[in-house]
Amino acid sequence: AQTVTQSQPEMSVQEAETVTLSCTYDTSESDYYLFWYKQPPSRQMILVIRQEAYKQQNATENRFSVNFQKAAKSFSLKISDSQLGDAAMYFCAYASPNTGNQFYFGTGTSLTVIP
Amino acid sequence: SQTIHQWPATLVQPVGSPLSLECTVEGTSNPNLYWYRQAAGRGLQLLFYSVGIGQISSEVPQNLSASRPQDRQFILSSKKLLLSDSGFYLCARSYGPGYTFGSGTRLTVV
């Protein structure tokens, strides 16, 4: 079974600094996708970034980037120049077309941004 | 557009009362649809998913049920709510290799 593990329940970062959120996963599939979702206090789930497993290049979206280590099954999220609006719960997620693209979520990391 | 409409946004129900949460989606036909629950301070737990009309798979046996009467409609129900049913309920659809989420329903059972 696919599992997604986020070992950091809470993290904090100073405004304008950089923070890295960790995620590991377990799968026997070769074709899959990894995601980071942000859930602010409004509870709306917002896609932050997506990585296709077949791509070696790490995905980047503005201040957000990932470190995808396929062999180690690691998928960390780096937030650069942290802003107050980045404060939220962050969920790592896995999906594979071989399992109907059903999502498997980690338990989340609560990020606090300190002004 | 792959928009998901979910209502109500907030609901307070007494123990033992019935429940019906509705989710409707726009966009491509025959979407895969999902119901998730998020307890306070916890991750997302998959409750049900549906790959088509009348097709429901349950991930966690519990006090809830789901139905898909129409292609773009997914309903979460309960005949008698329990206190433990309180939480935040999210409807989602898969869209290619991604998910689109509804805005959620916060259910408080009192």
Side-chain angles (χ1 to χ4, degrees):
Chain A
Q2 288 78 8
T3 57
V4 179
T5 302
Q6 293 179 249
S7 58
Q8 306 155 314
E10 297 178 347
M11 292 282 286
S12 61
V13 62
Q14 290 284 147
E15 193 176 3
E17 296 296 311
T18 297
V19 64
T20 299
L21 308 184
S22 301
C23 173
T24 59
Y25 60 95
D26 186 24
T27 184
S28 58
E29 302 287 344
S30 58
D31 183 18
Y32 55 89
Y33 301 86
L34 297 164
F35 307 81
W36 279 98
Y37 277 87
K38 170 185 177 181
Q39 188 182 43
S42 68
R43 307 298 288 273
Q44 178 72 49
M45 295 288 282
I46 302 167
L47 177 64
V48 175
I49 200 164
R50 184 183 84 189
Q51 175 79 44
E52 291 86 345
Y54 64 85
K55 289 187 178 179
Q56 293 185 339
Q57 185 174 7
N58 289 324
T60 299
E61 288 288 341
N62 300 314
R63 297 182 295 107
F64 299 87
S65 61
V66 299
N67 184 5
F68 174 46
Q69 301 290 326
K70 190 172 184 178
K73 296 180 181 176
S74 171
F75 183 61
S76 60
L77 174 70
K78 185 172 81 171
I79 305 174
S80 304
D81 186 25
S82 296
Q83 300 176 359
L84 295 177
D86 295 333
M89 183 74 88
Y90 286 82
F91 291 97
C92 179
Y94 163 101
S96 171
N98 296 330
T99 52
N101 283 324
Q102 179 177 321
F103 267 44
Y104 297 87
F105 287 92
T107 51
T109 297
S110 178
L111 178 66
T112 300
V113 180
I114 303 167
Chain B
S1 171
Q2 306 297 327
T3 304
I4 297 179
H5 301 281
Q6 197 178 335
W7 68 90
T10 305
L11 190 60
V12 180
Q13 291 284 96
V15 170
S17 64
L19 172 74
S20 180
L21 301 182
E22 188 162 341
C23 170
T24 60
V25 304
E26 299 177 4
T28 54
S29 61
N30 201 32
N32 289 351
L33 300 175
Y34 307 82
W35 276 111
Y36 283 87
R37 177 170 63 196
Q38 185 180 25
R42 305 287 296 276
L44 286 87
Q45 179 188 36
L46 178 62
L47 302 176
F48 301 95
Y49 69 93
S50 172
V51 298
I53 295 174
Q55 300 179 63
I56 307 294
S57 296
S58 174
E59 288 295 302
V60 182
Q62 53 199 325
N63 186 43
L64 302 170
S65 62
S67 62
R68 188 163 175 183
Q70 300 180 38
D71 181 46
R72 299 169 193 267
Q73 185 182 34
F74 200 26
I75 298 172
L76 182 69
S77 304
S78 174
K79 292 182 179 178
K80 289 185 178 181
L81 284 169
L82 306 173
L83 288 174
S84 58
D85 291 325
S86 293
F88 188 68
Y89 289 82
L90 278 165
C91 179
R93 68 173 293 167
S94 60
Y95 175 54
Y99 263 20
T100 301
F101 287 90
S103 54
T105 295
R106 186 185 305 276
L107 172 65
T108 304
V109 183
V110 297

